[in-house]
């Protein structure tokens, strides 16, 4: 049986629903924290779950190099290996081969490359990517694709997208169907709406369990990203989940949910947490800023996370300035909590038909900026 996706309510183009996978349910719209090398950096899996995450993303490229897909398979799969007994989505490895590996060579067959870790030679093909993601035991496997560089001419984007569509068909052929496990296809075509349409048609003809929009958040800017979603998302089958890869900042997510996207992943909340940057309902706050040095207030008085409940800004500032590991842990915990609470608020607003009003208020509070401390604080 395929994974089941049930839409509970719609509000404009936005939907809220439940995606049922082999390792549990995912409430959508959903944000997937990135667990690059079988760990969400600076967090225990137990803490990640406490933030409200239903599903994690794992990176095929990193895991195939270290500790190796066969080894993780032998140890019982990624859930067992990292103690996350809930759904996991793995990417296909294609994106990181392009961004991290050395000496890449792309052919019709696949990509050969040199590991950024030890220089060893590897090959990724659609068939090998499916095999690796099967060994990892991913609840959702992503089709192997080439992430088209940006900017690209229409000619380059077309050739790249058509190669990805041929690889998508090979991915489907190599994917082993199992109850509760899904395979998602990835729409490419850069910023060209005709190419996006051609890609949607090719993927829906192959027939996937879900559809991702790839090749965005690569430098095109929010306006162009939203325009591409406007042209692409309405063409995707309404009954299947839609995943916007690698996005994004909180206001990117709100705008994409309004355009009908159900799933997201991004390193921004975790990476920012390690760089002293916190997301709050009043926009981003840099804890390294000297104005926090004697501020006893919590980072966000309304937040339920341990960083906000148990510590003041002055302490978080000190941890960030001294590069203490605890600073990265607490701010990552806060940021992931903020993202999960935002997703819960979006789901609630869609279910109650109040998404537009929610988005307006969200943007008003973000634009206000961080509330400065009282002079005698
Ligand atoms: Zn917090």
């Amino acid at each position: 049986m395929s994974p089941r996706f049930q839409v509970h309510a719609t509000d404009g183009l936005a939907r809220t629903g439940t995606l049922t996978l082999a390792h549990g349910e995912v409430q959508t719209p959903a944000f997937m924290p990135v667990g690059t090398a079988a760990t969400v950096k600076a967090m225990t899996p137990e803490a990640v779950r406490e933030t409200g995450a239903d599903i994690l993303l794992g990176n095929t490229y990193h895991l195939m190099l270290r500790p190796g897909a066969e080894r993780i398979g032998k140890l019982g799969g990624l859930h067992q290996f990292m103690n996350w007994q809930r759904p996991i989505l793995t990417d296909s490895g294609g994106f990181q081969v392009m961004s991290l590996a050395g000496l890449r060579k792309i052919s019709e067959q696949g990509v050969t490359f040199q590991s950024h870790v030890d220089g060893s030679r590897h090959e990724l093909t659609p068939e090998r990517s499916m095999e690796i993601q099967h060994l990892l035991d991913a609840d959702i496997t992503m089709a192997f694709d080439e992430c088209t560089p940006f900017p690209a001419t229409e000619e380059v984007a077309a050739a790249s997208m058509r190669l990805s569509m041929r690889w998508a068909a090979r991915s489907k052929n190599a994917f082993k169907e199992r109850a509760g496990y899904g395979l998602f296809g990835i729409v490419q075509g850069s910023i060209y709406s005709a190419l996006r349409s051609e890609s949607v048609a090719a993927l829906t003809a192959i027939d996937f369990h879900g559809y991702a929009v790839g090749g965005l958040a690569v430098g095109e800017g929010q306006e162009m990203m939203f325009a591409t979603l406007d042209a692409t998302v309405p063409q995707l089958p309404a009954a299947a989940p839609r995943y916007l890869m690698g996005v994004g900042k909180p206001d990117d997510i709100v705008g994409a949910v309004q355009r009908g996207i159900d799933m997201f992943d991004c390193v921004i909340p975790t990476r920012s947490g390690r760089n002293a940057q916190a997301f709050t309902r009043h926009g981003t706050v840099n804890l390294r800023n000297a104005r926090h040095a004697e501020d006893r207030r919590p980072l966000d008085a309304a937040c339920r996370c341990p960083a906000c409940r148990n510590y003041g800004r002055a302490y978080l500032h000190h941890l960030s300035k001294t590069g203490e590991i605890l600073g990265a842990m607490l701010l990552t915990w806060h940021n992931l909590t903020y993202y999960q609470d935002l997703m819960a608020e979006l789901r609630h607003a869609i279910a109650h038909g109040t998404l537009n009003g929610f988005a307006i208020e969200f943007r008003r509070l973000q634009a206000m900026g961080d509330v400065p401390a009282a002079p005698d604080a």
Side-chain angles (χ1 to χ4, degrees):
M1 197 185 72
S2 309
R4 194 173 71 244
F5 181 55
Q6 196 178 5
V7 174
H8 304 311
T10 59
D11 184 354
L13 295 175
R15 314 101 67 77
T16 180
T18 304
L19 176 60
T20 306
L21 298 162
H23 290 84
E25 291 187 344
V26 177
Q27 304 306 322
T28 67
F31 179 79
M32 301 183 277
V34 178
T36 305
T39 164
V40 176
K41 291 188 198 301
M43 295 283 281
T44 63
E46 294 83 357
V48 174
R49 178 57 187 161
E50 277 181 47
T51 68
D54 289 333
I55 177 169
L56 293 188
L57 179 142
N59 287 124
T60 285
Y61 173 80
H62 289 283
L63 295 170
M64 72 182 278
L65 298 180
R66 289 184 302 193
E70 273 70 15
R71 179 167 291 164
I72 291 179
K74 194 171 159 189
L75 293 168
L78 193 49
H79 304 85
Q80 192 66 26
F81 185 57
M82 68 178 290
N83 188 34
W84 175 263
Q85 303 301 341
R86 290 177 177 275
I88 294 175
L89 177 149
T90 47
D91 64 9
S92 72
F95 179 79
Q96 270 147 349
V97 166
M98 300 306 157
S99 56
L100 292 175
L103 295 177
R104 295 176 300 271
K105 196 163 160 259
I106 302 178
S107 69
E108 186 65 33
Q109 181 58 24
V111 187
T112 56
F113 62 93
Q114 197 172 27
S115 159
H116 76 290
V117 177
D118 61 7
S120 56
R121 302 287 304 168
H122 298 266
E123 184 180 32
L124 258 183
T125 61
E127 292 76 18
R128 177 59 181 157
S129 177
M130 296 306 104
E131 185 180 25
I132 290 172
Q133 295 181 74
H134 182 89
L135 285 164
L136 297 175
D137 201 27
D139 295 78
I140 299 175
T141 290
M142 297 304 297
F144 188 65
D145 69 336
E146 188 200 11
C147 185
T148 309
F150 182 84
T153 64
E154 189 156 1
E155 196 186 357
V156 168
S160 167
M161 179 273 286
R162 287 169 193 147
L163 175 64
S164 287
M165 297 305 101
R166 295 192 294 277
W167 286 356
R170 283 167 56 191
S171 296
K172 172 77 185 251
N173 285 337
F175 177 75
K176 292 196 183 93
E177 294 273 353
R178 289 181 289 168
Y181 289 82
L183 174 66
F184 283 20
I186 305 173
V187 181
Q188 293 288 353
S190 190
I191 53 165
Y192 306 104
S193 56
L195 296 181
R196 290 279 173 183
S197 298
E198 183 184 328
S199 182
V200 169
L203 293 175
T204 49
I206 297 167
D207 189 21
F208 289 93
H209 301 118
Y211 297 87
V213 183
L216 291 176
V218 289
E220 76 283 357
Q222 192 191 66
E223 198 179 328
M224 208 166 264
M225 177 172 85
F226 284 167
T228 305
L229 292 180
D230 287 335
T232 307
V233 177
Q235 300 182 52
L236 293 170
R242 303 154 173 174
Y243 162 30
L244 179 55
M245 303 182 80
V247 173
K249 293 209 167 101
D251 69 312
D252 295 329
I253 290 178
V254 172
V257 164
Q258 288 184 293
R259 288 165 171 83
I261 296 290
D262 307 304
M263 298 167 69
F264 300 87
D265 81 281
C266 194
V267 296
I268 282 179
T270 40
R271 181 175 290 165
S272 300
R274 300 194 301 281
N275 286 308
Q277 188 164 67
F279 294 94
T280 77
R281 63 204 72 239
H282 292 114
T284 56
V285 175
N286 183 349
L287 267 308
R288 287 206 183 107
N289 195 307
R291 73 188 170 91
H292 305 296
E294 297 189 351
D295 191 342
R296 291 184 174 86
R297 297 176 308 155
L299 172 56
D300 181 344
C303 178
R304 64 186 167 90
C305 90
C308 295
R309 269 191 289 112
N310 304 333
Y311 307 93
R313 289 179 178 217
Y315 184 58
L316 297 172
H317 169 78
H318 162 72
L319 294 177
S320 301
K321 289 293 277 188
T322 49
E324 286 291 339
I325 291 169
L326 183 58
M329 291 166 62
L330 289 173
L331 291 182
T332 301
W333 202 324
H334 167 79
N335 284 344
L336 287 179
T337 302
Y338 173 78
Y339 267 64
Q340 293 301 337
D341 286 353
L342 174 62
M343 303 319 291
E345 288 168 7
L346 287 164
R347 292 192 293 267
H348 183 269
I350 297 165
H352 291 81
T354 57
L355 182 60
N356 255 342
F358 173 83
I360 290 166
E361 178 65 4
F362 166 84
R363 292 187 188 108
R364 188 185 71 83
L365 290 173
Q366 290 282 311
M368 266 173 62
D370 190 27
V371 185
D376 61 343

PDB file of all heavy atoms in Angstrom, residues 303 305 307-308 334, ligand 1:
ATOM      1  N   CYS A 303       7.641  31.985  24.038  1.00  0.00           N
ATOM      2  CA  CYS A 303       8.129  30.709  23.495  1.00  0.00           C
ATOM      3  C   CYS A 303       8.226  29.656  24.594  1.00  0.00           C
ATOM      4  O   CYS A 303       8.608  29.949  25.726  1.00  0.00           O
ATOM      5  CB  CYS A 303       9.486  30.920  22.824  1.00  0.00           C
ATOM      6  SG  CYS A 303      10.221  29.409  22.175  1.00  0.00           S
ATOM      7  N   CYS A 305      10.224  26.968  24.528  1.00  0.00           N
ATOM      8  CA  CYS A 305      11.467  26.185  24.487  1.00  0.00           C
ATOM      9  C   CYS A 305      12.313  26.436  25.739  1.00  0.00           C
ATOM     10  O   CYS A 305      12.161  27.452  26.409  1.00  0.00           O
ATOM     11  CB  CYS A 305      12.262  26.499  23.219  1.00  0.00           C
ATOM     12  SG  CYS A 305      13.435  27.849  23.398  1.00  0.00           S
ATOM     13  N   ALA A 307      15.394  27.377  26.063  1.00  0.00           N
ATOM     14  CA  ALA A 307      16.226  28.581  25.994  1.00  0.00           C
ATOM     15  C   ALA A 307      15.448  29.801  26.477  1.00  0.00           C
ATOM     16  O   ALA A 307      16.006  30.694  27.127  1.00  0.00           O
ATOM     17  CB  ALA A 307      16.710  28.808  24.556  1.00  0.00           C
ATOM     18  N   CYS A 308      14.161  29.852  26.161  1.00  0.00           N
ATOM     19  CA  CYS A 308      13.338  30.996  26.537  1.00  0.00           C
ATOM     20  C   CYS A 308      12.737  30.842  27.935  1.00  0.00           C
ATOM     21  O   CYS A 308      12.538  31.822  28.643  1.00  0.00           O
ATOM     22  CB  CYS A 308      12.222  31.199  25.515  1.00  0.00           C
ATOM     23  SG  CYS A 308      12.850  31.635  23.886  1.00  0.00           S
ATOM     24  N   HIS A 334      15.628  26.535  20.295  1.00  0.00           N
ATOM     25  CA  HIS A 334      14.657  27.627  20.133  1.00  0.00           C
ATOM     26  C   HIS A 334      14.187  27.738  18.679  1.00  0.00           C
ATOM     27  O   HIS A 334      12.988  27.816  18.408  1.00  0.00           O
ATOM     28  CB  HIS A 334      15.250  28.972  20.579  1.00  0.00           C
ATOM     29  CG  HIS A 334      14.398  30.117  20.131  1.00  0.00           C
ATOM     30  ND1 HIS A 334      13.242  30.491  20.785  1.00  0.00           N
ATOM     31  CD2 HIS A 334      14.468  30.902  19.021  1.00  0.00           C
ATOM     32  CE1 HIS A 334      12.654  31.466  20.114  1.00  0.00           C
ATOM     33  NE2 HIS A 334      13.374  31.737  19.042  1.00  0.00           N
TER      34      HIS A 334
HETATM   35 ZN1  LIG B   1      12.424  29.786  22.569  1.00  0.00          ZN
END
